[in-house]
Amino acid sequence: MSSELELLAQIGLNFELSEEHRMFQQVVREFAQKEIAPVAAHYDETGEFPWETVRKMAAMGLMGIEVPEAYGGQGLDAIASALAMIEIAKADAAHSTVMSVNNTLFCFPILTFGTEEQKRKYVTPVATGQAMGAYALTEPQSGSDAAGIRTRAVRKGDVYILNGRKSWITNGPVADYIVVFAMTDPEKKHHGISAFIVETDRPGFSRGKKEEKLGIRASATCEIYLDNYECPVENRLGEEGEGFKIAMTTLDAGRVGIAAQAVGIAEAAYEAALAWAKQREAFGRKIGEFQAIQWKLADMRVKLEAARLLTLQAAWKRERAKRTGERYTLEAAMAKLFASEAAQWITYEAIQIHGGMGYSREMPVERYFRDARITTIYEGTSEIQRLVIARQILGLKTSL
Ligand code: CAA
């Protein structure tokens, strides 16, 4: 054993990334800064879907980071996923949203609950970038109350007939396949929810208008409609009635990704503010020489590092769960809550440090501020994260 490894073994806790993780992080960082950062403002302005850069991300394997090589993925771990999310989000949050949906909200539930046939047919094309995935849980009347969905799936022989409306579907306008949650037995409430893999080129599937959003504007979002859509029984994901568990398990994984996204946005804002403080002068001095600015930068750095540690802890727990099967609901919710709220504050202060220039579209900080806003809302609001955390630490079944 080398002396460095011996030392680490004695300490028993290691905050260093492994050599493999560091190399992967460096490759993604270089790609993100070279290919994505320069086009981020353009796609934010136009709201167009960034097909060209998304295809480049797919060619790098970023749409199937944890997907086993047998299904076209990179076969890496949850830490690598978090590191990639941070780097892509730092360059552009919208690109990281597209990546997050494909990796975690689409591939993850099929890999975890799907059949061999479903993995081959649906995970492989998404992981290799030949197709786009999405996840449809939310409905107009049920966002936070995920068990309150009304979309119905009625079995008729070898098919389920799906009817309903899903809203705020990220990747909806471009998705080839969508994991859709529907009620198979409304009497049983959340135990009556089932999950289905829907192909968007089949009759009975249609899309609403694209949403015009405050931030992550290049990631496409829309409503989707199911009108007597015939879903073959072999496209049911998991057992009948297992849908709510699938939805929640998937969101645990997704929340680690959103925490990483928030860290990436916050890091971009912090670095921009730090550079500005070193360069901008007022009253004959660099503004970074004033205590008012120093304290802001110090607090930004502390919140950023705390958010990163909580996020990597949750990613580590998520990786360990693949072997132990234990839940990491608490760690995922804590990471998402803290990192998303830290990103609000850090991007707000980054604008404040930039003064008028921070409010201008000439600089990227106003985009970081707008993009950060969604992280306290999607994949469970901050209020829902607090509820989840409280239930976990108090050992309550419900706090509603
Ligand atoms: N993992 C596994 N099972 C879970 C679970 C988890 N994390 N959380 C709950 N469950 C199980 C419970 O054990 C329970 O099972 P049993 O009844 O068999 O004992 C069952 O699910 C019901 O649990 P609750 O009583 O806690 O359910 P609830 O109705 O009170 O709701 C909630 C819980 C936490 C509020 C949940 O509804 C929730 O997370 N809401 C937020 C929804 C959300 O995040 N939506 C985001 C949409 S997706 C999105 O934003 C994607 C995008 O486009 C980018």
Side-chain angles (χ1 to χ4, degrees):
M1 212 192 270
S2 75
S3 58
E4 194 190 350
L5 284 179
E6 273 169 24
L7 185 65
L8 286 174
Q10 281 166 22
I11 296 171
L13 186 62
N14 184 7
F15 284 98
E16 296 282 343
L17 291 177
S18 70
E19 183 60 21
E20 290 77 14
H21 283 136
R22 260 205 310 270
M23 278 167 57
F24 178 68
Q25 180 188 46
Q26 192 55 32
V27 168
V28 180
R29 180 176 294 162
E30 279 167 19
F31 165 79
Q33 291 305 317
K34 182 164 166 268
E35 302 285 350
I36 297 177
V39 299
H42 165 77
Y43 285 112
D44 171 60
E45 184 74 33
T46 61
E48 286 165 35
F49 190 77
W51 277 114
E52 203 182 322
T53 31
V54 164
R55 285 199 184 102
K56 287 182 186 169
M57 285 166 72
M60 284 193 66
L62 293 175
M63 295 303 169
I65 298 170
E66 290 171 68
V67 171
E69 288 173 26
Y71 307 115
Q74 291 212 59
L76 298 177
D77 63 12
I79 312 268
S81 280
L83 296 173
M85 275 299 287
I86 293 173
E87 294 307 325
I88 300 293
K90 192 173 168 185
D92 181 41
H95 281 77
S96 69
T97 301
V98 177
M99 183 175 124
S100 168
V101 171
N102 278 338
N103 278 277
T104 327
L105 296 187
F106 184 81
C107 291
F108 174 87
I110 301 179
L111 285 173
T112 312
F113 298 96
T115 62
E116 183 58 29
E117 172 64 15
Q118 288 171 342
K119 292 177 197 175
R120 294 210 178 277
K121 191 167 174 196
Y122 298 110
V123 170
T124 304
V126 170
T128 52
Q130 286 149 30
M132 297 290 285
Y135 171 97
L137 177 65
T138 302
E139 297 183 2
Q141 80 294 336
S142 63
S144 290
D145 182 9
I149 60 171
R150 291 188 195 147
T151 295
R152 282 284 272 129
V154 178
R155 185 157 179 177
K156 270 200 181 158
D158 290 345
V159 296
Y160 285 90
I161 311 293
L162 268 61
N163 278 291
R165 180 174 165 195
K166 296 280 178 185
S167 28
W168 294 109
I169 307 309
T170 308
N171 280 0
V174 293
D176 300 282
Y177 312 125
I178 308 183
V179 173
V180 171
F181 297 89
M183 274 288 179
T184 36
D185 190 347
E187 298 283 297
K188 291 189 182 161
K189 306 222 161 98
H190 67 266
H191 286 300
I193 295 175
S194 305
F196 301 90
I197 305 168
V198 161
E199 298 187 4
T200 62
D201 62 357
R202 287 187 173 224
F205 177 90
S206 61
R207 300 171 162 102
K209 70 170 173 43
K210 201 175 136 228
E211 303 288 351
E212 285 298 333
K213 307 189 295 291
L214 174 73
I216 54 160
R217 288 174 41 74
S219 72
T221 314
C222 69
E223 283 204 332
I224 62 165
Y225 310 114
L226 297 154
D227 183 12
N228 289 324
Y229 176 93
E230 291 190 11
C231 182
V233 170
E234 64 262 26
N235 275 29
R236 191 188 65 223
L237 185 58
E239 296 302 318
E240 218 176 81
E242 212 185 2
F244 196 70
K245 184 176 149 206
I246 296 175
M248 292 298 118
T249 309
T250 302
L251 285 172
D252 281 348
R255 286 168 186 167
V256 183
I258 302 306
Q261 176 178 55
V263 171
I265 303 169
E267 189 167 81
Y270 160 75
E271 286 182 5
L274 188 66
W276 186 255
K278 287 182 184 168
Q279 160 210 327
R280 171 76 180 177
E281 291 185 5
F283 307 101
R285 288 152 78 181
K286 304 283 186 215
I287 61 169
E289 291 173 35
F290 292 107
Q291 196 179 49
I293 303 298
Q294 290 171 355
W295 284 25
K296 283 189 198 301
L297 288 168
D299 286 344
M300 286 163 97
R301 179 64 183 259
V302 172
K303 285 185 201 288
L304 174 61
E305 293 310 325
R308 193 195 315 277
L309 287 171
L310 276 174
T311 301
L312 290 177
Q313 173 187 257
W316 174 81
K317 197 85 196 273
R318 175 155 117 61
E319 184 58 30
R320 209 175 66 164
K322 289 179 191 166
R323 293 168 193 94
T324 63
E326 65 190 334
R327 270 172 60 175
Y328 50 94
T329 304
L330 174 66
E331 288 77 8
M334 289 195 301
K336 181 181 185 286
L337 173 65
F338 188 85
S340 63
E341 298 207 336
Q344 310 307 300
W345 189 84
I346 291 169
T347 54
Y348 175 94
E349 292 294 1
I351 291 185
Q352 199 65 20
I353 290 173
H354 280 79
M357 284 312 292
Y359 200 61
S360 163
R361 291 222 168 170
E362 272 181 47
M363 315 254 334
V365 276
E366 63 83 31
R367 173 165 54 85
Y368 302 149
F369 179 69
R370 286 184 289 108
D371 287 347
R373 196 65 190 83
I374 190 62
T375 62
T376 63
I377 299 171
Y378 64 9
E379 301 205 25
T381 60
S382 285
E383 291 72 18
I384 290 295
Q385 304 313 319
R386 287 189 168 89
L387 177 150
V388 169
I389 293 164
R391 282 182 189 182
Q392 291 283 318
I393 59 180
L394 288 164
L396 298 175
K397 176 120 179 73
T398 176
S399 58
L400 291 172

